[in-house]
Amino acid sequence: MDFSLSQDQTEFKEAVVRFAQKKLVDDLSAREKRGEFFLDGWRECADFGLLGLPVPEEYGGLGMDALTCLLSLEGLSYGCRDNGLVFAINSHLWTCVKPILSFGSVAQKERFLPALVRGEMIGGHAMTEPEAGSDAFGMRCQARKEGDRYILNGTKIFITNAPIADLLLVFAVTDPDRSFGGISAFIVEKGFPGFSVGRPLELMGLKTCPIGEVILQDCEVPEENRLGKEGAGTAIFNAEMEWERGCLFAAHLGAMERELEACVSYAGERHQFGRPIGSNQAVSHRIADMAVRIELSRMILYKVAWMKDQGMRAPKDSAIAKLFVSESYVHNSLDALQLHGAYGYSTEYEPERHVRDSLAGRIYSGTSEIQRNIIASFYNL
Ligand SMILES: Cc1cc2nc3c(=O)[nH]c(=O)nc-3n(C[C@H](O)[C@H](O)[C@H](O)COP(=O)(O)OP(=O)(O)OC[C@H]3O[C@@H](n4cnc5c(N)ncnc54)[C@H](O)[C@@H]3O)c2cc1C
């Protein structure tokens, strides 16, 4: 494995950081209280090219390899304090843009990718249902074929970007007798008859990312909007998850780097008992532990990106990465809060937001327990 970065990769990551620190700055605290999405920031990211990182130039994207995508998202999250915006971008990229790129027909790619890359269309995916979370393939949503269209019925919940999405990749059962092989994926557009979105759900963190419920009531989806073959839904979902578990969690890496820098500064500036708190080993060791988690997170994420760039499948490594990086972000955020004392607990400062935002990472893209199940399955357990 060779993780040495080319000059182009290093320079592009630095450019993303500069862009984010300059253009993605506003009164985040006020907007977070209003639970408001940063639409201007979304547009800035589109103009910079971030919404088309893995998309070939013929569809308007930057055509980046996996490692450069990952570095860009690490840089974006390091430079941008709005974790909700970064999460919305990641969902758009890995659960909608990338599956259409990998599994779509030429007509689907031509129709959707340029608008998704320009940010004029916002995407996401809808798998989870009220009664089917970790057991995603126990879903009830049905797609019945009628002539040249499918009729979808069901409810999806906790869908990232749903309240603002123009299209969602919806997974539904087309053949109840075929278990995993009976699930298909559909590109469902906002205006389709029978498609509606409930009010945004109020969650503990990621408050600037709209997340909601999707209702499909005799929703009519033309056959040409089916992604891949009938029954290909499971394969599409699994491929999607490998990319998401690698690239989305690069955003956690960037957030942890930003968090560590703030802790190092605070440990030097904050004086108690006549000396900086960082001169206490209990404090400096906390920082050392944070740095160790960051370094190991970087290694496993870069390994997954390297595997994807070699054209390898990475189901075990992406599960290890997802588990380790999401848990590391929670541990580092709790450490950062403790290190800042009452200021860390105050909603006027960053640490408490990191705690709230990081906890979601243990749940989405498959919970920590499900990642352990996936990893254990490679040992026939
Ligand atoms: C911020 C956020 C964004 C999300 N975005 C999306 C999205 O865009 N699209 C989408 O489809 N979904 C999305 N989800 C939903 C997410 O994928 C599910 O929440 C997740 O899969 C877990 O399902 P659940 O919440 O129903 O928990 P459950 O499956 O009910 O699990 C409850 C608890 O039981 C444990 N558990 C369950 N089964 C097992 C088992 N076999 N072994 C061990 N432990 C087990 C779980 O680990 C968990 O601790 C999002 C969730 C969050 C929090």
Side-chain angles (χ1 to χ4, degrees), residues 316-328:
K316 183 173 110 181
D317 294 85
S318 62
I320 292 174
K322 197 269 162 180
L323 175 64
F324 186 77
V325 180
S326 62
E327 292 289 343
S328 293

Side-chain angles (χ1 to χ4, degrees), residues 87 91 125-130 132-135 157-160 203 206 211 360 363-370 373:
F87 185 60
S91 293
H125 84 162
M127 181 75 159
T128 306
E129 300 182 359
S134 300
D135 183 16
I157 195 163
F158 297 118
I159 306 307
T160 304
L203 303 182
L206 296 172
I211 296 177
I363 299 170
Y364 58 69
S365 299
T367 65
S368 292
E369 293 77 16
I370 293 301
N373 289 353

